[in-house]
Amino acid sequence: MPRKPARHHRLLPVRPLTFSPFARSVARVATAYLVKHYMHNAVQQSAGDEFKEKLKIIGRRSESSEDEEFDGVVQADFAFFDPKPDDFHGVKTLLQSYLDNKQWDLSGFVDLILGQTTVGTVVKLEDDEDNGVFSIITALNLGRYKDHKCITELKEFLLNICHEKDKIGNLRSLLGDEAQKVGLLVSQCVVNLPPELLPPLYDALFDEISWATEDEPTEELRNSFRFKFYLVVSKFYKLNLQQKNANQKRSSSTDKDEAFLYIKPEDEILHKLSMWSFLFPLQTQQVATHELKNYQLTGIVMAVKAEDISSFRQQLHALINGS
């Protein structure tokens, strides 16, 4: 039996996982913009006309009017695979803005991800000769790879963007003395990938990490997967109250509930579970829409204890599956 059996899912209409009507509207607009942005990069960097055409089909469905429900589905059978060198361009495209607009050794970073085949998953269409990558998830030990240029540059980036005095010491500790116990949790996907894929994706990752502590051929490698902490770099939309108050005379009672709009549903859970986090401004182009006029695309770094991952997995299943 293969270590990663294929899991089949239909590509569903975009239905953002937010709760208020306003938040659903904003998330839908943001999704359409990000699909456009991803498609542009994919057309520039991904090989294969067939994959580009599939992205265009998905994008057209995502850009339908927010007042108009799309009742059809695009049929797609997704499968999970171990990373391999052929996935380089697809993974690089997904991670193009991982560190905002910083010029860094992204190619080296992708090589590390693809070289770690025992822990990590790529999602592709089953039996797709075009080899397009729709999602990547992995965890890299910051101590094990500390001498690689991409990790050195990533650490420098994180230290430079952290301006909170009560967090910088914690960050330095995780990037320095504690690095051997820290897994950089990397997860990126096309924005309208079916959310039903998220629980099995994360289950596969954390199961593989557990297996690696027993199955890797050397004690050094086994120890490298005994994480005590996970570090997450992501982005979301943050309500700019100053801007909103300038646009309307009184604040809404829902401001507090809508302070954050999470692009990735799992980030909301990770944020709540994090032992500390900090925000940082992004240079990436802001979505220019009426719905998002009061929101700012913002970076976030979160540190999560490994002992809280069990709770994360349970909450993610509950969020996505409603159980």
Side-chain angles (χ1 to χ4, degrees):
M1 177 180 294
R3 189 167 66 86
K4 290 180 183 170
R7 297 175 175 87
H8 305 280
H9 295 266
R10 292 187 303 171
L11 186 52
L12 304 174
V14 180
R15 302 187 189 280
L17 285 171
T18 51
F19 300 99
S20 73
F22 172 76
R24 284 196 298 271
S25 172
V26 171
R28 188 179 294 112
V29 171
T31 296
Y33 170 85
L34 290 169
V35 168
K36 278 185 179 179
H37 179 72
Y38 176 80
M39 285 168 56
H40 173 76
N41 286 336
V43 169
Q44 295 295 324
Q45 299 184 37
S46 294
D49 293 336
E50 185 180 352
F51 181 53
K52 297 171 193 174
E53 191 59 35
K54 286 166 186 165
L55 283 175
K56 290 177 184 177
I57 292 171
I58 295 169
R60 286 197 294 269
R61 297 302 187 265
S62 302
E63 292 177 272
S64 59
S65 168
E66 66 180 33
D67 298 322
E68 176 183 320
E69 285 293 330
F70 172 62
D71 294 326
V73 293
V74 180
Q75 296 289 342
D77 290 323
F78 291 97
F80 294 2
F81 298 91
D82 291 325
K84 65 179 189 298
D86 288 350
D87 300 322
F88 179 85
H89 292 293
V91 172
K92 187 175 181 181
T93 296
L94 286 177
L95 296 175
Q96 199 67 46
S97 61
Y98 181 66
L99 296 186
D100 196 15
N101 64 349
K102 177 180 173 60
Q103 298 298 311
W104 66 302
D105 186 18
L106 176 58
S107 294
F109 189 63
V110 174
D111 285 338
L112 286 186
I113 291 172
L114 300 182
Q116 184 176 277
T117 58
T118 56
V119 171
T121 298
V122 294
V123 176
K124 296 186 281 189
L125 294 180
E126 190 174 33
D127 301 323
D128 181 17
E129 295 179 359
D130 197 60
N131 214 35
V133 176
F134 286 80
S135 180
I136 175 67
I137 186 169
T138 193
L140 300 175
N141 185 298
L142 290 180
R144 175 182 176 185
Y145 299 114
K146 63 183 177 65
D147 295 327
H148 289 258
K149 180 183 177 182
C150 59
I151 298 301
T152 299
E153 291 177 336
L154 181 141
K155 290 180 179 180
E156 291 174 352
F157 173 82
L158 294 178
L159 290 171
N160 286 335
I161 60 172
C162 182
H163 302 298
E164 298 186 26
K165 293 181 180 180
D166 60 332
K167 308 289 174 58
I168 188 67
N170 294 326
L171 178 62
R172 283 202 181 101
S173 177
L174 291 189
L175 299 180
D177 296 340
E178 301 285 338
Q180 196 64 41
K181 305 172 185 175
V182 179
L184 180 69
L185 181 55
V186 181
S187 176
Q188 192 58 270
C189 66
V190 295
V191 291
N192 56 343
L193 193 77
E196 292 86 352
L197 284 170
L198 291 175
L201 257 180
Y202 277 95
D203 284 346
L205 174 68
F206 293 118
D207 285 346
E208 287 173 349
I209 291 171
S210 178
W211 297 336
T213 64
E214 301 175 358
D215 298 340
E216 287 293 313
T218 68
E219 184 176 1
E220 182 180 7
L221 285 175
R222 291 192 291 273
N223 287 337
S224 72
F225 290 104
R226 293 191 170 98
F227 300 122
K228 290 190 175 180
F229 309 99
Y230 290 97
L231 199 63
V232 181
V233 182
S234 192
K235 54 179 71 74
F236 62 174
Y237 287 97
K238 182 177 182 292
L239 181 63
N240 186 335
L241 286 174
Q242 198 171 33
Q243 179 66 34
K244 182 167 185 177
N245 290 337
N247 292 330
Q248 65 183 55
K249 294 182 178 180
R250 62 179 64 179
S251 59
S252 167
S253 61
T254 60
D255 282 352
K256 185 176 180 181
D257 294 335
E258 296 171 349
F260 304 115
L261 292 176
Y262 295 89
I263 299 171
K264 295 156 60 178
E266 65 270 33
D267 281 350
E268 181 173 8
I269 303 172
L270 290 169
H271 196 187
K272 291 177 180 177
L273 290 174
S274 64
M275 56 184 187
W276 55 262
S277 65
F278 66 87
L279 309 183
F280 63 94
L282 294 171
Q283 304 302 314
T284 305
Q285 182 182 359
Q286 172 72 44
V287 178
T289 68
H290 175 75
E291 289 84 356
L292 289 170
K293 66 182 180 181
N294 298 321
Y295 284 83
Q296 183 68 41
L297 188 62
T298 303
I300 182 170
V301 176
M302 300 174 277
V304 181
K305 292 181 180 178
E307 64 188 42
D308 290 328
I309 291 302
S310 176
S311 176
F312 165 75
R313 293 170 68 169
Q314 293 173 5
Q315 291 185 50
L316 184 62
H317 275 273
L319 176 66
I320 302 300
N321 301 323
S323 59

